[in-house]
Amino acid sequence: MSKYSNYLSEDRRLVILRILAEMPTYRANSSVLHTVLFEWGHEPSRDQVKTELRWLQEQQLVDLDEVGDGAVLLAKLTERGADVAAGRARVDGVKRPGA
């Protein structure tokens, strides 16, 4: 993966965590996250969003549930994920929020 691709992935992951942190129930589905990522200047495929969510799950930053036939993932921010989104904790592979 190129340096630029790594940067984009790290930023996408941070944006996902920040979106979830702003949701009233700290939850959003992959379709909503896909739409909001476009608003933030990213243009990921739906598959990329799901891949990022699964990566975030592996890092224990989100919990995931499959909705219906698994075409949509429901993500819920974990306590650790909230700490990373706010800059209180760091995880390699997630961009650190600005000051």
PDB file of all heavy atoms in Angstrom, residues 16-52:
ATOM      1  N   ILE A  16     -14.707   7.962  10.610  1.00  0.00           N
ATOM      2  CA  ILE A  16     -15.754   7.024  11.045  1.00  0.00           C
ATOM      3  C   ILE A  16     -15.941   7.102  12.556  1.00  0.00           C
ATOM      4  O   ILE A  16     -17.070   7.181  13.048  1.00  0.00           O
ATOM      5  CB  ILE A  16     -15.423   5.582  10.598  1.00  0.00           C
ATOM      6  CG1 ILE A  16     -15.568   5.442   9.082  1.00  0.00           C
ATOM      7  CG2 ILE A  16     -16.310   4.565  11.329  1.00  0.00           C
ATOM      8  CD1 ILE A  16     -15.014   4.146   8.503  1.00  0.00           C
ATOM      9  N   LEU A  17     -14.853   7.106  13.297  1.00  0.00           N
ATOM     10  CA  LEU A  17     -14.958   7.177  14.764  1.00  0.00           C
ATOM     11  C   LEU A  17     -15.599   8.492  15.197  1.00  0.00           C
ATOM     12  O   LEU A  17     -16.436   8.519  16.110  1.00  0.00           O
ATOM     13  CB  LEU A  17     -13.573   7.030  15.400  1.00  0.00           C
ATOM     14  CG  LEU A  17     -12.901   5.670  15.221  1.00  0.00           C
ATOM     15  CD1 LEU A  17     -11.495   5.700  15.819  1.00  0.00           C
ATOM     16  CD2 LEU A  17     -13.729   4.552  15.824  1.00  0.00           C
ATOM     17  N   ARG A  18     -15.246   9.585  14.542  1.00  0.00           N
ATOM     18  CA  ARG A  18     -15.826  10.885  14.890  1.00  0.00           C
ATOM     19  C   ARG A  18     -17.318  10.946  14.565  1.00  0.00           C
ATOM     20  O   ARG A  18     -18.098  11.517  15.320  1.00  0.00           O
ATOM     21  CB  ARG A  18     -15.090  12.005  14.164  1.00  0.00           C
ATOM     22  CG  ARG A  18     -13.736  12.290  14.757  1.00  0.00           C
ATOM     23  CD  ARG A  18     -13.065  13.392  13.999  1.00  0.00           C
ATOM     24  NE  ARG A  18     -12.062  14.046  14.820  1.00  0.00           N
ATOM     25  CZ  ARG A  18     -11.331  15.049  14.411  1.00  0.00           C
ATOM     26  NH1 ARG A  18     -11.492  15.539  13.195  1.00  0.00           N
ATOM     27  NH2 ARG A  18     -10.440  15.593  15.200  1.00  0.00           N
ATOM     28  N   ILE A  19     -17.708  10.362  13.433  1.00  0.00           N
ATOM     29  CA  ILE A  19     -19.131  10.316  13.084  1.00  0.00           C
ATOM     30  C   ILE A  19     -19.894   9.560  14.170  1.00  0.00           C
ATOM     31  O   ILE A  19     -20.931  10.030  14.663  1.00  0.00           O
ATOM     32  CB  ILE A  19     -19.340   9.636  11.713  1.00  0.00           C
ATOM     33  CG1 ILE A  19     -18.755  10.487  10.594  1.00  0.00           C
ATOM     34  CG2 ILE A  19     -20.829   9.360  11.474  1.00  0.00           C
ATOM     35  CD1 ILE A  19     -18.605   9.734   9.271  1.00  0.00           C
ATOM     36  N   LEU A  20     -19.389   8.392  14.548  1.00  0.00           N
ATOM     37  CA  LEU A  20     -20.060   7.602  15.572  1.00  0.00           C
ATOM     38  C   LEU A  20     -20.120   8.350  16.905  1.00  0.00           C
ATOM     39  O   LEU A  20     -21.128   8.271  17.618  1.00  0.00           O
ATOM     40  CB  LEU A  20     -19.369   6.248  15.738  1.00  0.00           C
ATOM     41  CG  LEU A  20     -19.478   5.302  14.548  1.00  0.00           C
ATOM     42  CD1 LEU A  20     -18.572   4.097  14.740  1.00  0.00           C
ATOM     43  CD2 LEU A  20     -20.923   4.876  14.320  1.00  0.00           C
ATOM     44  N   ALA A  21     -19.066   9.089  17.229  1.00  0.00           N
ATOM     45  CA  ALA A  21     -19.034   9.850  18.487  1.00  0.00           C
ATOM     46  C   ALA A  21     -20.096  10.945  18.511  1.00  0.00           C
ATOM     47  O   ALA A  21     -20.574  11.322  19.583  1.00  0.00           O
ATOM     48  CB  ALA A  21     -17.643  10.441  18.710  1.00  0.00           C
ATOM     49  N   GLU A  22     -20.487  11.435  17.344  1.00  0.00           N
ATOM     50  CA  GLU A  22     -21.486  12.505  17.269  1.00  0.00           C
ATOM     51  C   GLU A  22     -22.921  11.984  17.234  1.00  0.00           C
ATOM     52  O   GLU A  22     -23.856  12.759  17.413  1.00  0.00           O
ATOM     53  CB  GLU A  22     -21.232  13.363  16.033  1.00  0.00           C
ATOM     54  CG  GLU A  22     -19.959  14.183  16.135  1.00  0.00           C
ATOM     55  CD  GLU A  22     -19.713  15.037  14.901  1.00  0.00           C
ATOM     56  OE1 GLU A  22     -20.634  15.180  14.069  1.00  0.00           O
ATOM     57  OE2 GLU A  22     -18.595  15.556  14.780  1.00  0.00           O
ATOM     58  N   MET A  23     -23.091  10.692  17.001  1.00  0.00           N
ATOM     59  CA  MET A  23     -24.442  10.133  16.934  1.00  0.00           C
ATOM     60  C   MET A  23     -25.025  10.001  18.342  1.00  0.00           C
ATOM     61  O   MET A  23     -24.293   9.640  19.272  1.00  0.00           O
ATOM     62  CB  MET A  23     -24.412   8.762  16.260  1.00  0.00           C
ATOM     63  CG  MET A  23     -23.894   8.806  14.835  1.00  0.00           C
ATOM     64  SD  MET A  23     -24.881   9.864  13.804  1.00  0.00           S
ATOM     65  CE  MET A  23     -25.624   8.676  12.760  1.00  0.00           C
ATOM     66  N   PRO A  24     -26.318  10.279  18.501  1.00  0.00           N
ATOM     67  CA  PRO A  24     -26.920  10.223  19.845  1.00  0.00           C
ATOM     68  C   PRO A  24     -26.751   8.881  20.551  1.00  0.00           C
ATOM     69  O   PRO A  24     -26.570   8.840  21.760  1.00  0.00           O
ATOM     70  CB  PRO A  24     -28.411  10.507  19.588  1.00  0.00           C
ATOM     71  CG  PRO A  24     -28.457  11.172  18.263  1.00  0.00           C
ATOM     72  CD  PRO A  24     -27.261  10.686  17.484  1.00  0.00           C
ATOM     73  N   THR A  25     -26.783   7.781  19.805  1.00  0.00           N
ATOM     74  CA  THR A  25     -26.634   6.455  20.413  1.00  0.00           C
ATOM     75  C   THR A  25     -25.271   5.845  20.113  1.00  0.00           C
ATOM     76  O   THR A  25     -25.063   4.662  20.378  1.00  0.00           O
ATOM     77  CB  THR A  25     -27.732   5.496  19.907  1.00  0.00           C
ATOM     78  OG1 THR A  25     -27.621   5.386  18.485  1.00  0.00           O
ATOM     79  CG2 THR A  25     -29.119   5.982  20.296  1.00  0.00           C
ATOM     80  N   TYR A  26     -24.359   6.635  19.549  1.00  0.00           N
ATOM     81  CA  TYR A  26     -23.018   6.182  19.170  1.00  0.00           C
ATOM     82  C   TYR A  26     -23.070   5.050  18.162  1.00  0.00           C
ATOM     83  O   TYR A  26     -22.179   4.223  18.109  1.00  0.00           O
ATOM     84  CB  TYR A  26     -22.188   5.777  20.402  1.00  0.00           C
ATOM     85  CG  TYR A  26     -22.108   6.862  21.433  1.00  0.00           C
ATOM     86  CD1 TYR A  26     -22.841   6.783  22.616  1.00  0.00           C
ATOM     87  CD2 TYR A  26     -21.317   7.986  21.221  1.00  0.00           C
ATOM     88  CE1 TYR A  26     -22.770   7.797  23.561  1.00  0.00           C
ATOM     89  CE2 TYR A  26     -21.254   9.006  22.170  1.00  0.00           C
ATOM     90  CZ  TYR A  26     -21.979   8.901  23.330  1.00  0.00           C
ATOM     91  OH  TYR A  26     -21.922   9.904  24.257  1.00  0.00           O
ATOM     92  N   ARG A  27     -24.125   5.020  17.348  1.00  0.00           N
ATOM     93  CA  ARG A  27     -24.322   3.961  16.354  1.00  0.00           C
ATOM     94  C   ARG A  27     -24.635   4.572  14.991  1.00  0.00           C
ATOM     95  O   ARG A  27     -25.253   5.618  14.906  1.00  0.00           O
ATOM     96  CB  ARG A  27     -25.526   3.081  16.706  1.00  0.00           C
ATOM     97  CG  ARG A  27     -25.387   2.276  17.922  1.00  0.00           C
ATOM     98  CD  ARG A  27     -26.725   1.595  18.215  1.00  0.00           C
ATOM     99  NE  ARG A  27     -26.673   0.975  19.510  1.00  0.00           N
ATOM    100  CZ  ARG A  27     -26.832  -0.314  19.710  1.00  0.00           C
ATOM    101  NH1 ARG A  27     -27.107  -1.110  18.721  1.00  0.00           N
ATOM    102  NH2 ARG A  27     -26.743  -0.807  20.919  1.00  0.00           N
ATOM    103  N   ALA A  28     -24.252   3.842  13.962  1.00  0.00           N
ATOM    104  CA  ALA A  28     -24.645   4.180  12.590  1.00  0.00           C
ATOM    105  C   ALA A  28     -24.435   2.946  11.737  1.00  0.00           C
ATOM    106  O   ALA A  28     -23.580   2.109  12.036  1.00  0.00           O
ATOM    107  CB  ALA A  28     -23.822   5.343  12.046  1.00  0.00           C
ATOM    108  N   ASN A  29     -25.201   2.848  10.660  1.00  0.00           N
ATOM    109  CA  ASN A  29     -24.995   1.711   9.775  1.00  0.00           C
ATOM    110  C   ASN A  29     -24.004   2.080   8.672  1.00  0.00           C
ATOM    111  O   ASN A  29     -23.698   3.259   8.457  1.00  0.00           O
ATOM    112  CB  ASN A  29     -26.321   1.175   9.230  1.00  0.00           C
ATOM    113  CG  ASN A  29     -27.011   2.125   8.297  1.00  0.00           C
ATOM    114  OD1 ASN A  29     -26.416   2.660   7.362  1.00  0.00           O
ATOM    115  ND2 ASN A  29     -28.304   2.337   8.534  1.00  0.00           N
ATOM    116  N   SER A  30     -23.480   1.068   8.003  1.00  0.00           N
ATOM    117  CA  SER A  30     -22.443   1.281   6.998  1.00  0.00           C
ATOM    118  C   SER A  30     -22.921   2.142   5.836  1.00  0.00           C
ATOM    119  O   SER A  30     -22.133   2.887   5.250  1.00  0.00           O
ATOM    120  CB  SER A  30     -21.900  -0.059   6.486  1.00  0.00           C
ATOM    121  OG  SER A  30     -22.938  -0.882   5.996  1.00  0.00           O
ATOM    122  N   SER A  31     -24.204   2.108   5.537  1.00  0.00           N
ATOM    123  CA  SER A  31     -24.750   2.930   4.464  1.00  0.00           C
ATOM    124  C   SER A  31     -24.706   4.414   4.839  1.00  0.00           C
ATOM    125  O   SER A  31     -24.314   5.261   4.033  1.00  0.00           O
ATOM    126  CB  SER A  31     -26.183   2.494   4.154  1.00  0.00           C
ATOM    127  OG  SER A  31     -26.697   3.243   3.087  1.00  0.00           O
ATOM    128  N   VAL A  32     -25.094   4.730   6.057  1.00  0.00           N
ATOM    129  CA  VAL A  32     -25.041   6.114   6.536  1.00  0.00           C
ATOM    130  C   VAL A  32     -23.584   6.587   6.590  1.00  0.00           C
ATOM    131  O   VAL A  32     -23.262   7.708   6.162  1.00  0.00           O
ATOM    132  CB  VAL A  32     -25.717   6.248   7.927  1.00  0.00           C
ATOM    133  CG1 VAL A  32     -25.415   7.601   8.558  1.00  0.00           C
ATOM    134  CG2 VAL A  32     -27.213   6.021   7.812  1.00  0.00           C
ATOM    135  N   LEU A  33     -22.704   5.752   7.098  1.00  0.00           N
ATOM    136  CA  LEU A  33     -21.285   6.117   7.176  1.00  0.00           C
ATOM    137  C   LEU A  33     -20.717   6.368   5.784  1.00  0.00           C
ATOM    138  O   LEU A  33     -19.945   7.315   5.588  1.00  0.00           O
ATOM    139  CB  LEU A  33     -20.498   5.025   7.898  1.00  0.00           C
ATOM    140  CG  LEU A  33     -20.819   4.880   9.387  1.00  0.00           C
ATOM    141  CD1 LEU A  33     -20.200   3.599   9.939  1.00  0.00           C
ATOM    142  CD2 LEU A  33     -20.356   6.089  10.169  1.00  0.00           C
ATOM    143  N   HIS A  34     -21.102   5.565   4.811  1.00  0.00           N
ATOM    144  CA  HIS A  34     -20.670   5.758   3.426  1.00  0.00           C
ATOM    145  C   HIS A  34     -21.084   7.142   2.941  1.00  0.00           C
ATOM    146  O   HIS A  34     -20.269   7.886   2.365  1.00  0.00           O
ATOM    147  CB  HIS A  34     -21.278   4.655   2.547  1.00  0.00           C
ATOM    148  CG  HIS A  34     -20.961   4.787   1.109  1.00  0.00           C
ATOM    149  ND1 HIS A  34     -21.838   5.340   0.210  1.00  0.00           N
ATOM    150  CD2 HIS A  34     -19.854   4.444   0.405  1.00  0.00           C
ATOM    151  CE1 HIS A  34     -21.285   5.323  -0.990  1.00  0.00           C
ATOM    152  NE2 HIS A  34     -20.077   4.784  -0.903  1.00  0.00           N
ATOM    153  N   THR A  35     -22.326   7.527   3.184  1.00  0.00           N
ATOM    154  CA  THR A  35     -22.831   8.830   2.749  1.00  0.00           C
ATOM    155  C   THR A  35     -22.090   9.971   3.430  1.00  0.00           C
ATOM    156  O   THR A  35     -21.690  10.944   2.782  1.00  0.00           O
ATOM    157  CB  THR A  35     -24.342   8.932   3.045  1.00  0.00           C
ATOM    158  OG1 THR A  35     -25.017   7.888   2.334  1.00  0.00           O
ATOM    159  CG2 THR A  35     -24.908  10.272   2.629  1.00  0.00           C
ATOM    160  N   VAL A  36     -21.882   9.863   4.730  1.00  0.00           N
ATOM    161  CA  VAL A  36     -21.215  10.936   5.474  1.00  0.00           C
ATOM    162  C   VAL A  36     -19.742  11.038   5.088  1.00  0.00           C
ATOM    163  O   VAL A  36     -19.187  12.142   5.013  1.00  0.00           O
ATOM    164  CB  VAL A  36     -21.398  10.765   6.996  1.00  0.00           C
ATOM    165  CG1 VAL A  36     -20.678  11.868   7.757  1.00  0.00           C
ATOM    166  CG2 VAL A  36     -22.886  10.779   7.350  1.00  0.00           C
ATOM    167  N   LEU A  37     -19.084   9.922   4.812  1.00  0.00           N
ATOM    168  CA  LEU A  37     -17.696   9.967   4.359  1.00  0.00           C
ATOM    169  C   LEU A  37     -17.568  10.782   3.071  1.00  0.00           C
ATOM    170  O   LEU A  37     -16.604  11.532   2.894  1.00  0.00           O
ATOM    171  CB  LEU A  37     -17.130   8.562   4.166  1.00  0.00           C
ATOM    172  CG  LEU A  37     -16.716   7.850   5.456  1.00  0.00           C
ATOM    173  CD1 LEU A  37     -16.532   6.362   5.208  1.00  0.00           C
ATOM    174  CD2 LEU A  37     -15.454   8.462   6.032  1.00  0.00           C
ATOM    175  N   PHE A  38     -18.552  10.679   2.174  1.00  0.00           N
ATOM    176  CA  PHE A  38     -18.557  11.511   0.970  1.00  0.00           C
ATOM    177  C   PHE A  38     -18.623  12.982   1.339  1.00  0.00           C
ATOM    178  O   PHE A  38     -17.948  13.814   0.737  1.00  0.00           O
ATOM    179  CB  PHE A  38     -19.741  11.137   0.060  1.00  0.00           C
ATOM    180  CG  PHE A  38     -19.385  10.151  -1.002  1.00  0.00           C
ATOM    181  CD1 PHE A  38     -19.426   8.797  -0.744  1.00  0.00           C
ATOM    182  CD2 PHE A  38     -18.992  10.574  -2.258  1.00  0.00           C
ATOM    183  CE1 PHE A  38     -19.097   7.876  -1.719  1.00  0.00           C
ATOM    184  CE2 PHE A  38     -18.659   9.664  -3.248  1.00  0.00           C
ATOM    185  CZ  PHE A  38     -18.710   8.304  -2.982  1.00  0.00           C
ATOM    186  N   GLU A  39     -19.440  13.314   2.350  1.00  0.00           N
ATOM    187  CA  GLU A  39     -19.566  14.711   2.801  1.00  0.00           C
ATOM    188  C   GLU A  39     -18.243  15.250   3.329  1.00  0.00           C
ATOM    189  O   GLU A  39     -17.974  16.442   3.254  1.00  0.00           O
ATOM    190  CB  GLU A  39     -20.634  14.820   3.894  1.00  0.00           C
ATOM    191  CG  GLU A  39     -22.027  14.445   3.455  1.00  0.00           C
ATOM    192  CD  GLU A  39     -22.689  15.514   2.620  1.00  0.00           C
ATOM    193  OE1 GLU A  39     -22.445  16.707   2.866  1.00  0.00           O
ATOM    194  OE2 GLU A  39     -23.449  15.134   1.701  1.00  0.00           O
ATOM    195  N   TRP A  40     -17.400  14.371   3.873  1.00  0.00           N
ATOM    196  CA  TRP A  40     -16.119  14.760   4.456  1.00  0.00           C
ATOM    197  C   TRP A  40     -14.981  14.688   3.436  1.00  0.00           C
ATOM    198  O   TRP A  40     -13.813  14.792   3.797  1.00  0.00           O
ATOM    199  CB  TRP A  40     -15.805  13.873   5.656  1.00  0.00           C
ATOM    200  CG  TRP A  40     -16.598  14.220   6.874  1.00  0.00           C
ATOM    201  CD1 TRP A  40     -17.946  14.218   7.020  1.00  0.00           C
ATOM    202  CD2 TRP A  40     -16.074  14.611   8.140  1.00  0.00           C
ATOM    203  NE1 TRP A  40     -18.295  14.572   8.282  1.00  0.00           N
ATOM    204  CE2 TRP A  40     -17.161  14.824   9.004  1.00  0.00           C
ATOM    205  CE3 TRP A  40     -14.788  14.796   8.631  1.00  0.00           C
ATOM    206  CZ2 TRP A  40     -17.008  15.219  10.319  1.00  0.00           C
ATOM    207  CZ3 TRP A  40     -14.646  15.182   9.949  1.00  0.00           C
ATOM    208  CH2 TRP A  40     -15.738  15.395  10.779  1.00  0.00           C
ATOM    209  N   GLY A  41     -15.318  14.478   2.161  1.00  0.00           N
ATOM    210  CA  GLY A  41     -14.299  14.507   1.120  1.00  0.00           C
ATOM    211  C   GLY A  41     -13.703  13.171   0.746  1.00  0.00           C
ATOM    212  O   GLY A  41     -12.788  13.111  -0.070  1.00  0.00           O
ATOM    213  N   HIS A  42     -14.190  12.098   1.336  1.00  0.00           N
ATOM    214  CA  HIS A  42     -13.730  10.758   0.959  1.00  0.00           C
ATOM    215  C   HIS A  42     -14.714  10.202  -0.057  1.00  0.00           C
ATOM    216  O   HIS A  42     -15.885  10.555  -0.045  1.00  0.00           O
ATOM    217  CB  HIS A  42     -13.673   9.832   2.178  1.00  0.00           C
ATOM    218  CG  HIS A  42     -12.564  10.164   3.111  1.00  0.00           C
ATOM    219  ND1 HIS A  42     -11.277   9.740   2.917  1.00  0.00           N
ATOM    220  CD2 HIS A  42     -12.546  10.911   4.243  1.00  0.00           C
ATOM    221  CE1 HIS A  42     -10.508  10.197   3.896  1.00  0.00           C
ATOM    222  NE2 HIS A  42     -11.250  10.911   4.710  1.00  0.00           N
ATOM    223  N   GLU A  43     -14.239   9.335  -0.921  1.00  0.00           N
ATOM    224  CA  GLU A  43     -15.121   8.703  -1.897  1.00  0.00           C
ATOM    225  C   GLU A  43     -14.904   7.189  -1.888  1.00  0.00           C
ATOM    226  O   GLU A  43     -14.506   6.597  -2.884  1.00  0.00           O
ATOM    227  CB  GLU A  43     -14.873   9.281  -3.291  1.00  0.00           C
ATOM    228  CG  GLU A  43     -15.235  10.751  -3.367  1.00  0.00           C
ATOM    229  CD  GLU A  43     -15.127  11.312  -4.769  1.00  0.00           C
ATOM    230  OE1 GLU A  43     -14.868  10.541  -5.722  1.00  0.00           O
ATOM    231  OE2 GLU A  43     -15.304  12.522  -4.903  1.00  0.00           O
ATOM    232  N   PRO A  44     -15.170   6.560  -0.732  1.00  0.00           N
ATOM    233  CA  PRO A  44     -14.936   5.113  -0.643  1.00  0.00           C
ATOM    234  C   PRO A  44     -16.069   4.325  -1.284  1.00  0.00           C
ATOM    235  O   PRO A  44     -17.196   4.804  -1.397  1.00  0.00           O
ATOM    236  CB  PRO A  44     -14.926   4.870   0.869  1.00  0.00           C
ATOM    237  CG  PRO A  44     -15.902   5.877   1.388  1.00  0.00           C
ATOM    238  CD  PRO A  44     -15.697   7.104   0.519  1.00  0.00           C
ATOM    239  N   SER A  45     -15.754   3.110  -1.679  1.00  0.00           N
ATOM    240  CA  SER A  45     -16.811   2.194  -2.089  1.00  0.00           C
ATOM    241  C   SER A  45     -17.497   1.679  -0.824  1.00  0.00           C
ATOM    242  O   SER A  45     -16.963   1.822   0.284  1.00  0.00           O
ATOM    243  CB  SER A  45     -16.216   1.015  -2.880  1.00  0.00           C
ATOM    244  OG  SER A  45     -15.418   0.218  -2.021  1.00  0.00           O
ATOM    245  N   ARG A  46     -18.651   1.097  -0.984  1.00  0.00           N
ATOM    246  CA  ARG A  46     -19.333   0.512   0.179  1.00  0.00           C
ATOM    247  C   ARG A  46     -18.490  -0.609   0.784  1.00  0.00           C
ATOM    248  O   ARG A  46     -18.457  -0.791   1.991  1.00  0.00           O
ATOM    249  CB  ARG A  46     -20.720   0.017  -0.201  1.00  0.00           C
ATOM    250  CG  ARG A  46     -21.664   1.166  -0.530  1.00  0.00           C
ATOM    251  CD  ARG A  46     -23.068   0.674  -0.810  1.00  0.00           C
ATOM    252  NE  ARG A  46     -23.917   1.774  -1.187  1.00  0.00           N
ATOM    253  CZ  ARG A  46     -24.566   2.557  -0.331  1.00  0.00           C
ATOM    254  NH1 ARG A  46     -24.440   2.341   0.961  1.00  0.00           N
ATOM    255  NH2 ARG A  46     -25.320   3.550  -0.744  1.00  0.00           N
ATOM    256  N   ASP A  47     -17.795  -1.353  -0.083  1.00  0.00           N
ATOM    257  CA  ASP A  47     -16.922  -2.419   0.391  1.00  0.00           C
ATOM    258  C   ASP A  47     -15.769  -1.850   1.224  1.00  0.00           C
ATOM    259  O   ASP A  47     -15.397  -2.435   2.240  1.00  0.00           O
ATOM    260  CB  ASP A  47     -16.382  -3.232  -0.790  1.00  0.00           C
ATOM    261  CG  ASP A  47     -15.563  -4.417  -0.329  1.00  0.00           C
ATOM    262  OD1 ASP A  47     -16.129  -5.282   0.380  1.00  0.00           O
ATOM    263  OD2 ASP A  47     -14.363  -4.471  -0.660  1.00  0.00           O
ATOM    264  N   GLN A  48     -15.208  -0.722   0.808  1.00  0.00           N
ATOM    265  CA  GLN A  48     -14.136  -0.094   1.586  1.00  0.00           C
ATOM    266  C   GLN A  48     -14.623   0.307   2.972  1.00  0.00           C
ATOM    267  O   GLN A  48     -13.908   0.147   3.953  1.00  0.00           O
ATOM    268  CB  GLN A  48     -13.584   1.138   0.867  1.00  0.00           C
ATOM    269  CG  GLN A  48     -12.634   0.828  -0.249  1.00  0.00           C
ATOM    270  CD  GLN A  48     -12.175   2.097  -0.947  1.00  0.00           C
ATOM    271  OE1 GLN A  48     -12.984   2.933  -1.319  1.00  0.00           O
ATOM    272  NE2 GLN A  48     -10.879   2.212  -1.134  1.00  0.00           N
ATOM    273  N   VAL A  49     -15.842   0.836   3.045  1.00  0.00           N
ATOM    274  CA  VAL A  49     -16.397   1.233   4.346  1.00  0.00           C
ATOM    275  C   VAL A  49     -16.513   0.005   5.246  1.00  0.00           C
ATOM    276  O   VAL A  49     -16.110   0.035   6.413  1.00  0.00           O
ATOM    277  CB  VAL A  49     -17.768   1.931   4.189  1.00  0.00           C
ATOM    278  CG1 VAL A  49     -18.412   2.195   5.544  1.00  0.00           C
ATOM    279  CG2 VAL A  49     -17.616   3.232   3.401  1.00  0.00           C
ATOM    280  N   LYS A  50     -17.027  -1.084   4.712  1.00  0.00           N
ATOM    281  CA  LYS A  50     -17.159  -2.315   5.506  1.00  0.00           C
ATOM    282  C   LYS A  50     -15.794  -2.859   5.913  1.00  0.00           C
ATOM    283  O   LYS A  50     -15.625  -3.346   7.039  1.00  0.00           O
ATOM    284  CB  LYS A  50     -17.939  -3.366   4.727  1.00  0.00           C
ATOM    285  CG  LYS A  50     -19.401  -3.020   4.561  1.00  0.00           C
ATOM    286  CD  LYS A  50     -20.085  -4.055   3.703  1.00  0.00           C
ATOM    287  CE  LYS A  50     -21.480  -3.610   3.340  1.00  0.00           C
ATOM    288  NZ  LYS A  50     -22.113  -4.537   2.402  1.00  0.00           N
ATOM    289  N   THR A  51     -14.814  -2.772   5.022  1.00  0.00           N
ATOM    290  CA  THR A  51     -13.459  -3.223   5.349  1.00  0.00           C
ATOM    291  C   THR A  51     -12.886  -2.384   6.491  1.00  0.00           C
ATOM    292  O   THR A  51     -12.282  -2.927   7.426  1.00  0.00           O
ATOM    293  CB  THR A  51     -12.549  -3.135   4.102  1.00  0.00           C
ATOM    294  OG1 THR A  51     -13.087  -4.015   3.096  1.00  0.00           O
ATOM    295  CG2 THR A  51     -11.120  -3.531   4.425  1.00  0.00           C
ATOM    296  N   GLU A  52     -13.076  -1.070   6.434  1.00  0.00           N
ATOM    297  CA  GLU A  52     -12.582  -0.191   7.504  1.00  0.00           C
ATOM    298  C   GLU A  52     -13.297  -0.509   8.823  1.00  0.00           C
ATOM    299  O   GLU A  52     -12.669  -0.541   9.881  1.00  0.00           O
ATOM    300  CB  GLU A  52     -12.770   1.281   7.148  1.00  0.00           C
ATOM    301  CG  GLU A  52     -12.010   1.761   5.929  1.00  0.00           C
ATOM    302  CD  GLU A  52     -10.497   1.739   6.034  1.00  0.00           C
ATOM    303  OE1 GLU A  52      -9.928   1.145   6.975  1.00  0.00           O
ATOM    304  OE2 GLU A  52      -9.857   2.317   5.141  1.00  0.00           O
TER     305      GLU A  52
END
